[in-house]
Amino acid sequence: MLGDIWDNETRATSIWEKVGMFFGCVAFIGIFWGLMMIGSAYEEHKLCMNGAVEHCIPADFQ
């Protein structure tokens, strides 16, 4: 049997589990932030290619 959902509630969390949880959260936030930056750059690229001049970098077209 799998056990109760509260079986581990009284077990103490080790320092390494806390460090792992911290780095896991930091990695998740970093990956999410990176995907948001890629999406933002792609959106500006599409706007530039569709004629929205205010989103273009003039040096890219010289």
Side-chain angles (χ1 to χ4, degrees):
M1 179 131 295
L2 294 175
D4 190 10
I5 192 172
W6 307 111
D7 279 348
N8 293 330
E9 185 177 359
T10 58
R11 186 177 62 86
T13 306
S14 74
I15 187 69
W16 295 113
E17 287 175 320
K18 290 179 183 176
V19 168
M21 285 186 243
F22 173 76
F23 282 119
C25 289
V26 169
F28 177 78
I29 291 169
I31 290 170
F32 184 75
W33 181 80
L35 290 174
M36 294 294 289
M37 293 297 103
I38 291 170
S40 175
Y42 177 75
E43 180 183 15
E44 289 194 15
H45 170 73
K46 291 302 283 183
L47 286 170
C48 181
M49 293 295 111
N50 288 331
V53 179
E54 64 270 8
H55 292 278
C56 296
I57 301 170
D60 290 346
F61 296 98
Q62 292 179 356

